[in-house]
Amino acid sequence: MKLIILAAPGAGKGTQAEALSKHYDIPTISTGAILRKNIADGTPLGEIAAKYINDGKFIPDDVMIDVVKNRLAENDCKNGFILDGFPRTIAQAEALDASDVEIDAVLNIEVDDSKIIERLSGRLECKACGSSYHKQHKKPAVEGVCDNCGGPLTTRADDKPEIIKSRLETYYAQTEPLINFYEQRGLLKKAVGQENIADTTKVVLEALEA
């Protein structure tokens, strides 16, 4: 399975990507996690990314395309992968389309804006491995500690209310057109996000395997 997940910020891309990664036994390629690690490590890419992310804007297409191509060239992607957070613009989609990368399906998870704002305000992320949690919907076994690696859990800088609004506006302007782009290519699968994570995973698998 070579899959792209589309959804507005906070709609559950990361959580569902983790579930699908286990189900299909393929890696999840989260461009957001890659960028945040570079920010934490203070790399040149991290410095560029921090400026855009803190303003609620997307990283320039040429930078993101290089990041993704380098990651997909690694051995663990040979039998499939899940792209979470890429492509985010038509230009990125066209660049991916023009490359040697074949995509089997594009999943669009649909969630109302009001629910997205509620979710983002309670979201937590592991600083060490990037695993996602939520104060209400996906609590860790030990408060403030990642179940997977034991790393500290923090609230992302881009989950502040003013940044959330900016991210949603940017999404609707730049990313939403990708729905039509992939629908025209017969690759689009749709799933409506549910209140419960397991229920969302169920409808996602039904959409992908229909």
Side-chain angles (χ1 to χ4, degrees), residues 153-206:
L153 301 181
T154 62
T155 299
R156 285 166 42 172
D158 55 343
D159 281 345
K160 296 177 181 178
E162 64 273 17
I163 300 299
I164 294 172
K165 182 179 179 181
S166 176
R167 291 172 67 200
L168 286 172
E169 290 173 349
T170 303
Y171 168 77
Y172 289 123
Q174 297 186 25
T175 308
E176 197 172 36
L178 290 172
I179 295 173
N180 290 331
F181 180 89
Y182 286 114
E183 191 164 32
Q184 291 172 0
R185 284 158 176 75
L187 295 173
L188 191 69
K189 307 285 186 178
K190 298 180 182 180
V192 177
Q194 307 295 305
E195 290 294 332
N196 183 277
I197 291 174
D199 290 339
T200 300
T201 301
K202 180 181 178 181
V203 298
V204 161
L205 287 172
E206 289 173 349

Side-chain angles (χ1 to χ4, degrees), residues 29-35 45 48-49 53 58-71 83-89 92 95:
I29 312 303
S30 171
T31 53
I34 293 173
L35 292 172
L45 172 60
I48 295 173
I53 290 175
F58 290 154
I59 312 300
D61 289 340
D62 57 340
V63 176
M64 291 309 307
I65 289 167
D66 285 343
V67 169
V68 171
K69 284 184 176 180
N70 289 338
R71 181 63 183 87
L83 281 176
D84 169 18
F86 184 92
R88 284 189 171 179
T89 66
Q92 291 178 358

